[in-house]
Amino acid sequence: MKPNHLKTTDNTSSFICCLFRKLTFLVFLVFAMQQISRTESLPSSFDHPGNETDRIALLAIKNQLIDHHPKGILSSWNSSIHHCIWEGVTCDHKHNRVTNLTLHSSGLSGTISPFIGNLSFLHTLYLYNNSLSGQIPSNLGGLFRLQNLALNNNNLVGKIPANLSGCINLQFLDIKYNHLEGALPAELRALSKLEYFVMDSNNLTGPLFDIIQNFTFLEKVSAPYNAFTGTIPNSIGRMQNLNSICLRGNKLSGILPISLFNLSSLQNLDLSNNLLHGQLPSQMGFNASRLKWFYLSENSFSGSIPTMTNFTSLEQIILHNNYFTGMVPHGFQQFRNLTSLFLSYNNLQGDINFINTLVNCTQLQFLTLSGNDFSGILPNSIANLSSVVHLTVGDSLISGILPPGITNLINLEELIIGNSKLTASIPHDIGKLYKLETLDLHSNRITGKIPDSLGNLSRLSRLDLSDNKLEESIPGSIQNCQSLLYLNFSYNELNGTLDNGQFKGSATFVELDFSHNNLEGPLPLEISKQTSLGTLRVSRNKFSGLLPDGLSECTELQSLYMDGNSFHGKIPLSYSSLASLQEIDFSWNNLSGPIPVFLSTIPLIYFLDLSHNNFQGSVPTNSVFANASAIFLDGNTGLCGGIPQLHLPKCTERNNKLMSYAFRLIILVLGGLLGGLAIVTGIYLVRVRKKKAPLSSDPVLAKAFMKVSYDMLLKATGGFSSESIVGSGSSGSVYKGILDGNTVAVKVFNSQHCDASKSFLSECNALRNARHRNLVAIVTACASIDFQGNDFRALVYEFMPNGSLDRWLHGFDGNMSLLQRVGIAIDVAHALIYLHQEIENPIVHRDLKPSNILLDNDMVAHVGDFGLAKFLTPPLHINQSSTTGFRGTIGYAAPEYGLGSEASAAGDIYSYGILLLELITGKSPTDNMFKEDYNLHMYAEAALPDQVLQIIDPKLEEGDLKEKAGDRTATQDELQQRVECITSVITVGVSCSNHLPHDRMKLTDAIIKLQSARDNLLDTK
């Protein structure tokens, strides 16, 4: 027995435990009922009337959006589930009101509905990284609870609505990369809580600081590449929370107030590329100890550069392209984190020895000092800057030798010391700089020989040693520089030949310049293998022999200078393939014979100099020969004719004696060939008649093509097996086959298709008279009846291993670089010019689109599929032209074709413009985003000139705009050059695809702009 008091205690404990269990159960029961009640209330939303308002607003928002996301982001926005659990929607737990709408990067297009203003509890609205168009709805101003608004990376247009001032709690506002325009509304001053204001790359204008100077909570303002004006007020000193100011590429003017440099929180300051001027405050920086990025380049600042000893955190000092004078200030040794020092192209003076003060900057990677008045000798202490990647000290007065220690800079990728007064020789161990990509020592007084060790620089892409006093021969080790694109040895005293293996390596040159030396002998055959060569200069040497016939393989050549040598003989007829040539100089040689007629078919843009040779006979009068200021023929006493401005004698029988002999010989040869062809044709026709008559009775077609039998093609394609098909369409299928040991493409026309016969005849007749490197080459044609008695028509083409451009843009064949895309654009333009202007019976293609552009092994573009082609002037057999009426592909066909207009060259130019825009944007003109009157032309035009990066093909952005060379990220200048190239291509595409034919750009002008863009792009490689 327990004591009584223990019994009492036990009873009390039991009672308390029981009571606790009951209370716990009741609490759990209440909680469960609440959860059940909440779950049951979700579908109705009637417990809070505002819920229905939000749901209706969301449905209205959805109604104006188009969902392109593979997973269908908006598919969950339906009545089967409560709107608070729709994709991208977040509600508060208390009222089930929508507080967050996050639909960023969701593949959405369309417009922003004004109903968004009915989401009155909204705190966060993220719609960035989509393709939204239209204006920012003013109804956003009713969202007084809104704190975060991100609309960046869209296609929004118009002005920023003044009603946005109603968002009085807004802290984060990002509208960069749109097409917004006009001045900031004065009402925005009400956004006093704003902390983050980003407006990059729009078309905004007017004063900026008038609006933002009272945003005392502002931490970051970023508005580069707009057109903001006005000055930076002294009141900026009150914005003590500012840590980042980026306003490059605007039109800000005036001087910088000293209060700017007393912002204690400031870390990044970028005011480059504005209209700022005056001197920097001498006492700046007392409080700016946290400043890391100091960008003031491309303004008009003058005076001396102040001492910046208080900027102890500096990492980048960018002051190039101003008017700073005086000495470089001391104190850089304290900037232990300094990575970039850009002082080039100012008026700075003093001894280059100030580099000694940089030896403690162990993180320094970019040092640019070019374009100043520095003098003295490069100190050997430069060898201590072991982290330097980019060093430019050219365009200055420095002299002496390259310090031997410079070869210790093993991280160096660019060494540019051109246009100075360096002497002595290039260090023999320069090959130790194995990461070097650019070596530019042009216009100095360097002597000696070119070091053999240059052959160790396998990454070298640009080598410029021009305008020095280099001697002896060019070393054969150059062949080991496998990445070389640009090689310039001009204006030296080099001798010897070019047959010492210099070009036996795998380098793919774009520019070679050996002009003004003492080189001799013939040009080596290896140069002819440089099929990417755009410029070849061998002027003023002692080269001799015939002009190399193999040079015709260099079909990318634009500039050819061979003047001032001892070349003799005729200009090879094979040079007719050099259709890209813009300028030729063959002057001061011993060339002879007639001026080749093909020179009048090459669209030379600049000039043709044939002066001081021994040419004879008549001078053509068309193309470049019609421009007296572009043709030079002095010193050729045997020439006659030409345009009157050349003042040449008229051609007489004596003048043409040799030509008449040649003409007679040609007639005899042609007569023999035609006679033989007639005999062969007769025999063939007899044999054919013994079998069954060919489907085509056209005599021209019969003489031209009837060479390949059905059985031969059946065998070549494995019985026309499905495994051999490489493409198909309504008019037929294309098979890959092996014919006589060569890989070919066999296009078999579908005999059941109503236009098969016309398409076959159109392609035959378009291509039988057209031969150009950028047209798909037809090997032969076959029109017969197969063994089952079926009509059979086929064309055999040169096989294009890289398939169609359409597959590269929209399929899975990989990515193309920007350089390749521009090259394709130029290739197609050359093909069109040839078809429209350079053959006897001009042709319009009428179906130019990516699927009809084929790419060979070197990614050279070839225009194919001439099934809809039409002769502009009737050929011998008028029935061979394709039919009239609307032909082409929707989206690519010119708008006037839909109104019944006749085929024209302007129609092809329109299609070409659309093709260019598709090349850069990656968007087809039939993309779902283009509806009603909105099209690809308008989409691209709206992005010009400053928003092009918002519309480019994502694959292009990932590839070229983030390009790396080895382990080097592309520099800002290189990226800007790419942006300029993209802008040029889009500008040409927009101009070519104008609605009215007479407003479209000429193809010759398009080629000039595209080639210039490509050249500038190559200059950054």
Side-chain angles (χ1 to χ4, degrees):
M1 294 285 298
K2 292 183 180 180
N4 289 332
H5 71 277
L6 290 179
K7 289 183 180 181
T8 305
T9 303
D10 287 345
N11 291 336
T12 303
S13 298
S14 298
F15 174 78
I16 293 173
C17 289
C18 181
L19 180 63
F20 179 78
R21 283 195 297 269
K22 290 181 179 180
L23 287 174
T24 301
F25 175 77
L26 286 174
V27 170
F28 174 79
L29 183 63
V30 171
F31 177 78
M33 293 297 292
Q34 287 178 337
Q35 294 301 311
I36 293 172
S37 175
R38 176 174 295 180
T39 302
E40 291 177 346
S41 69
L42 273 175
S44 67
S45 301
F46 289 115
D47 54 338
H48 294 290
N51 287 342
E52 185 65 12
T53 301
D54 287 358
R55 188 180 71 85
I56 293 173
L58 290 172
L59 290 175
I61 292 168
K62 176 185 178 182
N63 192 48
Q64 291 187 218
L65 297 175
I66 303 172
D67 189 349
H68 301 285
H69 197 279
K71 296 182 179 179
I73 291 294
L74 300 181
S75 60
S76 66
W77 288 33
N78 56 67
S79 58
S80 63
I81 55 176
H82 193 273
H83 66 268
C84 283
I85 54 176
W86 287 355
E87 183 75 28
V89 178
T90 303
C91 298
D92 68 336
H93 295 299
K94 184 177 182 180
H95 302 102
N96 282 335
R97 298 300 302 272
V98 176
T99 56
N100 294 352
L101 185 57
T102 56
L103 295 175
H104 59 85
S105 309
S106 299
L108 300 177
S109 63
T111 58
I112 304 174
S113 170
F115 277 86
I116 203 157
N118 289 1
L119 301 175
S120 55
F121 276 69
L122 204 61
H123 291 174
T124 297
L125 176 58
Y126 287 161
L127 298 177
Y128 60 88
N129 289 349
N130 284 293
S131 299
L132 301 175
S133 55
Q135 298 186 354
I136 299 174
S138 59
N139 306 58
L140 281 175
L143 303 178
F144 68 92
R145 292 182 174 90
L146 193 65
Q147 297 177 9
N148 305 299
L149 175 59
L151 305 176
N152 49 295
N153 293 75
N154 280 288
N155 299 311
L156 300 173
V157 298
K159 297 182 177 181
I160 298 173
N163 286 4
L164 199 61
S165 60
C167 303
I168 56 175
N169 289 297
L170 200 61
Q171 299 174 17
F172 180 101
L173 176 57
D174 191 343
I175 52 176
K176 65 175 178 285
Y177 301 131
N178 280 287
H179 309 295
L180 302 172
E181 60 185 12
L184 298 181
E187 291 81 355
L188 294 188
R189 294 189 181 99
L191 303 179
S192 58
K193 295 183 180 180
L194 207 58
E195 299 175 4
Y196 188 100
F197 193 11
V198 180
M199 302 165 279
D200 308 21
S201 299
N202 281 282
N203 301 310
L204 300 171
T205 60
L208 172 63
F209 283 94
D210 287 0
I211 307 300
I212 70 170
Q213 61 182 335
N214 292 320
F215 292 177
T216 54
F217 292 99
L218 196 63
E219 296 179 8
K220 177 176 182 176
V221 55
S222 180
Y225 304 111
N226 282 282
F228 284 118
T229 57
T231 61
I232 300 175
N234 195 56
S235 58
I236 195 173
R238 295 198 297 265
M239 305 172 72
Q240 285 297 316
N241 291 308
L242 268 177
N243 62 57
S244 181
I245 303 173
C246 182
L247 301 175
R248 77 159 52 223
N250 281 280
K251 297 180 180 179
L252 300 175
S253 58
I255 62 174
L256 297 183
I258 192 171
S259 60
L260 175 65
F261 301 101
N262 289 325
L263 295 174
S264 57
S265 298
L266 193 61
Q267 297 182 37
N268 304 322
L269 176 63
D270 187 352
L271 300 174
S272 299
N273 195 12
N274 276 282
L275 305 175
L276 300 166
H277 66 274
Q279 299 186 18
L280 298 183
S282 58
Q283 301 299 318
M284 69 180 190
F286 284 127
N287 295 317
S289 59
R290 299 178 63 186
L291 191 65
K292 295 180 179 179
W293 292 5
F294 186 37
Y295 288 20
L296 298 180
S297 62
E298 298 177 88
N299 280 284
S300 297
F301 290 112
S302 57
S304 59
I305 298 174
T307 301
M308 294 180 281
T309 53
N310 293 317
F311 295 171
T312 53
S313 299
L314 272 177
E315 296 178 3
Q316 298 185 25
I317 303 174
I318 314 296
L319 302 178
H320 62 273
N321 289 81
N322 278 287
Y323 299 97
F324 288 116
T325 58
M327 310 281 284
V328 175
H330 292 285
F332 286 115
Q333 64 270 17
Q334 67 180 347
F335 301 144
R336 300 298 178 90
N337 297 320
L338 191 65
T339 63
S340 302
L341 178 59
F342 286 70
L343 300 178
S344 54
Y345 297 99
N346 281 283
N347 296 318
L348 298 171
Q349 301 170 336
D351 198 302
I352 197 67
N353 262 325
F354 80 85
I355 287 178
N356 291 329
T357 66
L358 302 176
V359 294
N360 292 327
C361 302
T362 57
Q363 305 299 316
L364 190 62
Q365 297 181 31
F366 295 87
L367 177 61
T368 73
L369 306 172
S370 299
N372 285 286
D373 294 328
F374 296 128
S375 58
I377 299 173
L378 274 176
N380 206 46
S381 62
I382 200 170
N384 296 323
L385 303 178
S386 57
S387 60
V388 168
V389 171
H390 180 104
L391 174 62
T392 70
V393 200
D395 294 326
S396 64
L397 304 176
I398 62 171
S399 58
I401 66 172
L402 278 173
I406 204 167
T407 59
N408 293 329
L409 302 180
I410 57 173
N411 290 305
L412 206 58
E413 295 178 5
E414 292 184 295
L415 175 59
I416 302 175
I417 316 181
N419 195 23
S420 295
K421 298 181 178 181
L422 295 178
T423 56
S425 58
I426 301 171
H428 65 89
D429 57 348
I430 192 77
K432 291 170 59 177
L433 303 178
Y434 67 97
K435 291 185 179 181
L436 208 59
E437 297 175 7
T438 297
L439 176 59
D440 186 348
L441 302 176
H442 79 277
S443 301
N444 280 284
R445 301 170 184 175
I446 298 173
T447 59
K449 63 176 294 186
I450 298 172
D452 288 330
S453 67
L454 279 178
N456 298 334
L457 305 179
S458 60
R459 298 186 184 183
L460 197 65
S461 63
R462 180 185 292 272
L463 176 58
D464 190 347
L465 303 179
S466 61
D467 196 13
N468 279 287
K469 297 182 178 181
L470 294 169
E471 301 170 332
E472 301 188 34
S473 60
I474 298 172
S477 62
I478 289 292
Q479 66 177 303
N480 298 324
C481 300
Q482 301 174 8
S483 301
L484 264 182
L485 295 173
Y486 298 87
L487 177 61
N488 192 342
F489 288 158
S490 63
Y491 291 92
N492 278 286
E493 299 171 10
L494 300 170
N495 53 44
T497 65
L498 294 181
D499 59 358
N500 193 26
Q502 296 96 328
F503 302 100
K504 291 184 178 179
S506 59
T508 304
F509 291 101
V510 174
E511 181 176 318
L512 287 172
D513 193 343
F514 302 109
S515 58
H516 295 267
N517 279 286
N518 298 312
L519 299 170
E520 57 188 4
L523 289 181
L525 292 176
E526 286 80 8
I527 288 182
S528 301
K529 298 177 183 178
Q530 295 295 328
T531 55
S532 297
L533 196 61
T535 298
L536 175 61
R537 291 186 173 94
V538 295
S539 308
R540 305 294 171 175
N541 277 284
K542 298 177 182 180
F543 291 115
S544 58
L546 298 174
L547 293 178
D549 188 72
L551 203 60
S552 60
E553 299 298 318
C554 302
T555 52
E556 297 292 327
L557 264 180
Q558 298 178 14
S559 300
L560 179 57
Y561 287 79
M562 307 185 77
D563 53 294
N565 285 285
S566 299
F567 293 113
H568 65 271
K570 297 180 180 181
I571 299 175
L573 291 175
S574 61
Y575 283 17
S576 60
S577 64
L578 300 177
S580 297
L581 277 173
Q582 299 179 4
E583 51 189 355
I584 300 176
D585 194 343
F586 287 151
S587 63
W588 295 98
N589 279 287
N590 297 316
L591 301 175
S592 58
I595 295 176
V597 176
F598 71 77
L599 286 177
S600 64
T601 67
I602 297 176
L604 293 168
I605 296 172
Y606 299 116
F607 69 88
L608 171 63
D609 193 344
L610 302 177
S611 61
H612 300 284
N613 280 285
N614 300 311
F615 291 112
Q616 297 177 327
S618 62
V619 176
T621 57
N622 58 328
S623 189
V624 70
F625 292 95
N627 184 357
S629 63
I631 179 73
F632 302 92
L633 302 173
D634 296 345
N636 292 281
T637 57
L639 293 178
C640 63
I643 60 175
Q645 293 89 333
L646 297 177
H647 305 292
L648 293 174
K650 292 183 178 180
C651 291
T652 63
E653 183 178 354
R654 180 181 178 185
N655 296 130
N656 290 329
K657 188 175 181 180
L658 291 175
M659 294 301 292
S660 65
Y661 284 143
F663 181 77
R664 292 175 191 171
L665 181 61
I666 291 171
I667 292 298
L668 288 173
V669 172
L670 287 177
L673 289 174
L674 289 174
L677 182 60
I679 294 171
V680 172
T681 302
I683 295 172
Y684 186 84
L685 290 175
V686 170
R687 290 180 178 176
V688 170
R689 289 191 186 101
K690 288 181 180 179
K691 297 178 182 179
K692 288 190 176 181
L695 184 62
S696 174
S697 60
D698 184 272
V700 176
L701 186 60
K703 285 189 288 186
F705 292 120
M706 301 288 284
K707 296 177 181 179
V708 176
S709 68
Y710 172 84
D711 290 336
M712 293 172 66
L713 295 183
L714 187 70
K715 181 179 179 181
T717 59
F720 299 112
S721 66
S722 58
E723 290 79 10
S724 299
I725 294 179
V726 293
S728 61
S730 59
S731 62
S733 299
V734 180
Y735 298 81
K736 181 180 179 181
I738 305 296
L739 190 63
D740 290 337
N742 297 314
T743 304
V744 295
V746 182
K747 181 176 182 179
V748 179
F749 288 79
N750 180 5
S751 60
Q752 305 302 315
H753 192 272
C754 59
D755 286 333
S757 176
K758 293 175 182 177
S759 296
F760 175 74
L761 291 173
S762 294
E763 284 212 63
C764 286
N765 285 281
L767 293 173
R768 67 185 294 273
N769 292 314
R771 291 291 185 270
H772 189 274
R773 68 180 293 272
N774 295 125
L775 298 181
V776 175
I778 182 172
V779 177
T780 187
C782 177
S784 65
I785 298 175
D786 68 21
F787 69 97
Q788 295 177 333
N790 296 316
D791 295 343
F792 179 81
R793 297 171 181 270
L795 292 173
V796 183
Y797 295 98
E798 174 187 4
F799 182 74
M800 295 291 160
N802 273 317
S804 73
L805 176 60
D806 185 73
R807 291 173 61 189
W808 282 84
L809 289 175
H810 307 297
F812 305 94
D813 279 336
N815 193 14
M816 296 177 294
S817 68
L818 176 59
L819 190 60
Q820 286 175 321
R821 297 182 194 223
V822 178
I824 289 169
I826 293 172
D827 290 341
V828 175
H830 279 305
L832 290 180
I833 285 180
Y834 173 79
L835 293 171
H836 295 171
Q837 303 174 18
E838 298 176 6
I839 55 176
E840 183 176 355
N841 291 317
I843 297 171
V844 288
H845 188 278
R846 294 208 299 171
D847 199 19
L848 196 67
K849 57 185 178 182
S851 60
N852 290 339
I853 307 299
L854 303 179
L855 305 173
D856 65 17
N857 196 52
D858 297 318
M859 294 298 285
V860 174
H862 301 256
V863 177
D865 198 339
F866 284 74
L868 298 182
K870 180 178 175 60
F871 287 93
L872 287 176
T873 56
L876 180 62
H877 300 274
I878 189 67
N879 64 316
Q880 294 172 14
S881 297
S882 64
T883 58
T884 57
F886 178 83
R887 291 300 179 103
T889 302
I890 293 175
Y892 301 93
E896 63 267 20
Y897 286 177
L899 302 175
S901 295
E902 289 291 326
S904 67
D908 278 357
I909 293 174
Y910 178 91
S911 303
Y912 176 68
I914 296 298
L915 178 73
L916 289 189
L917 299 181
E918 189 171 359
L919 256 177
I920 298 300
T921 66
K923 290 189 179 295
S924 164
T926 57
D927 190 282
N928 289 335
M929 71 177 294
F930 304 125
K931 295 182 178 180
E932 299 180 354
D933 293 330
Y934 188 56
N935 56 35
L936 179 56
H937 169 91
M938 299 165 65
Y939 174 72
E941 187 178 36
L944 292 172
D946 300 320
Q947 308 295 318
V948 294
L949 292 187
Q950 309 315 307
I951 67 168
I952 63 172
D953 186 348
K955 290 193 294 184
L956 179 60
E957 183 178 17
E958 293 169 6
D960 267 72
L961 298 183
K962 297 178 181 177
E963 177 184 302
K964 291 191 175 183
D967 58 352
R968 179 182 68 84
T969 303
T971 65
Q972 186 64 37
D973 288 342
E974 290 171 331
L975 295 178
Q976 182 61 29
Q977 198 66 52
R978 287 164 170 75
V979 173
E980 291 174 2
C981 179
I982 290 169
T983 303
S984 295
V985 178
I986 292 177
T987 300
V988 172
V990 167
S991 185
C992 287
S993 59
N994 276 320
H995 186 78
L996 297 177
H998 60 77
D999 289 338
R1000 294 170 195 159
M1001 178 181 284
K1002 294 180 180 179
L1003 284 174
T1004 50
D1005 294 335
I1007 285 180
I1008 292 173
K1009 291 184 179 296
L1010 292 174
Q1011 287 177 334
S1012 176
R1014 180 174 64 178
D1015 291 345
N1016 291 337
L1017 186 63
L1018 286 169
D1019 285 341
T1020 66
K1021 293 290 184 180

